[in-house]
Amino acid sequence: MIYADAAQWRAAPDKRVLLFGMSGLGKTHLANLLREGGDWFHYSVDYRIGTRYMGEHIADNFKREAMKVPLLRELLMTDSVYIASNITFDNLAPLSTYLGKPGDPAKGGLPFAEYMQRQEQHRLAEIAALLDTGHFARRAQGIYGYPNFVCDSGGSICEVVNPHDPADPVLTALSQDTLMIWIEGSDAHTAELVRRFDRAPKPMYYQPAFLHAAWADYLAETGADEAAVDPDAFVRWTYARALAHRQPRYAAMATNWGLKVRAEDVARLRSAQDFTDLVATALDRRA
């Protein structure tokens, strides 16, 4: 780790961290808290994916839909309108909408093959965005003068790395530039995330082997034809299994590449100094 102990962390003039864990446990909230303190640069992996690496895919999908409307088709063909996504740190809907859900097209679903193609696009984009972390840490300091840097990673980071491989290229690069911190949720947090997802199911990235197995199991359990699957029903059925699949991968990342803090402790933070103290305690505990 780039900080050997709490004393080195506290004394560091340029603190650099990467937050990881399940979506909904406070990564973006904490990154915003640090950024609002004035001397932390906030790098959002999901924002980078949606703008730099998948922005063209997203915009082309909007245009494909617009071409089905005669008026918009005419305007697009004459370059009379401009179509683009308005993705922000706090609104990643264009990215998740593009990822989509597999199932019945009449219910907004995608054919499974097309869905998997978009999943692969996201996998490659996420790896590229993660590997940009060091560049943005140096850029933030060299151009803008930010001494501290926080990378807000997506919940699927554990799906695109191998935390048990000491030579994993993505984790090796990240560990050279940042202190990786897992925000660990409790069983109660997990139950609340599942309840929240049931109310508003959204597209996610899943590891290909996990997704193929989940799709096959769902079809076998429900007896549904691929083209008749309710997209929301499938992603709801998959979500709790995805959390269980990810938990040991997050834990291995923390054990082999970083450290962990509890989500309930993160929720109590009110300042950058509180965060510095929390990380120092975690480093002491690990030592």
Side-chain angles (χ1 to χ4, degrees):
M1 293 190 297
I2 62 172
Y3 307 105
D5 52 38
Q8 187 180 23
W9 159 255
R10 288 186 182 279
D14 52 346
K15 295 176 172 61
R16 301 191 304 276
V17 301
L18 179 146
L19 307 175
F20 68 93
M22 293 185 292
S23 295
L25 289 184
K27 296 190 304 294
T28 301
H29 168 74
L30 175 53
N32 285 333
L33 175 70
L34 295 174
R35 184 183 67 207
E36 290 164 3
D39 58 358
W40 284 81
F41 184 92
H42 177 188
Y43 174 60
S44 166
V45 168
D46 283 338
Y47 179 80
R48 180 70 167 167
I49 291 170
T51 53
R52 172 65 177 84
Y53 292 108
M54 292 188 70
E56 190 170 313
H57 294 310
I58 293 167
D60 283 352
N61 192 51
F62 292 161
K63 293 172 186 176
R64 195 173 296 113
E65 293 301 314
M67 287 290 283
K68 299 174 183 178
V69 180
L71 173 63
L72 294 178
R73 176 187 172 85
E74 180 180 346
L75 292 172
L76 280 172
M77 294 298 289
T78 57
D79 292 327
S80 300
V81 294
Y82 176 75
I83 295 179
S85 72
N86 188 27
I87 195 168
T88 67
F89 280 17
D90 298 316
N91 180 15
L92 298 166
L95 175 58
S96 61
T97 299
Y98 175 75
L99 267 182
K101 308 165 191 175
D104 186 352
K107 296 181 178 179
L110 294 169
F112 190 71
E114 182 179 348
Y115 174 69
M116 290 304 299
Q117 181 181 25
R118 296 186 186 194
Q119 289 275 307
E120 176 63 9
Q121 290 169 350
H122 190 282
R123 185 186 72 84
L124 296 175
E126 184 162 6
I127 290 171
L130 286 167
L131 290 175
D132 284 343
T133 299
H135 165 70
F136 271 87
R138 292 182 288 273
R139 185 175 181 230
Q141 190 171 58
I143 297 177
Y144 303 111
Y146 284 96
N148 305 311
F149 176 87
V150 54
C151 173
D152 172 12
S153 73
S156 55
I157 182 175
C158 66
E159 306 279 18
V160 301
V161 300
N162 181 356
H164 301 287
D165 179 4
D168 182 89
V170 176
L171 291 174
T172 297
L174 293 174
S175 67
Q176 291 170 350
D177 288 308
T178 65
L179 175 63
M180 287 185 279
I181 302 172
W182 176 30
I183 300 180
E184 179 187 22
S186 64
D187 290 343
H189 285 117
T190 299
E192 175 56 29
L193 291 177
V194 171
R195 284 193 293 271
R196 194 183 306 169
F197 191 89
D198 280 344
R199 290 195 297 270
K202 66 177 184 177
M204 290 173 53
Y205 171 78
Y206 303 96
Q207 204 175 61
F210 169 84
L211 190 52
H212 276 291
W215 185 245
D217 290 347
Y218 184 80
L219 294 179
E221 183 175 308
T222 62
D225 181 80
E226 284 196 12
V229 168
D230 182 322
D232 283 345
F234 172 71
V235 295
R236 285 190 179 103
W237 183 90
T238 305
Y239 183 69
R241 290 162 178 79
L243 297 188
H245 166 75
R246 289 180 176 183
Q247 193 75 359
R249 299 182 69 84
Y250 290 139
M253 287 176 63
T255 298
N256 299 329
W257 298 91
L259 50 81
K260 67 179 179 179
V261 296
R262 300 185 307 170
E264 52 262 44
D265 293 331
V266 169
R268 287 193 286 267
L269 299 180
R270 294 294 178 267
S271 68
Q273 184 58 52
D274 289 347
F275 176 67
T276 296
D277 294 340
L278 179 64
V279 174
T281 300
L283 283 165
D284 280 340
R285 188 184 304 117
R286 181 178 174 93

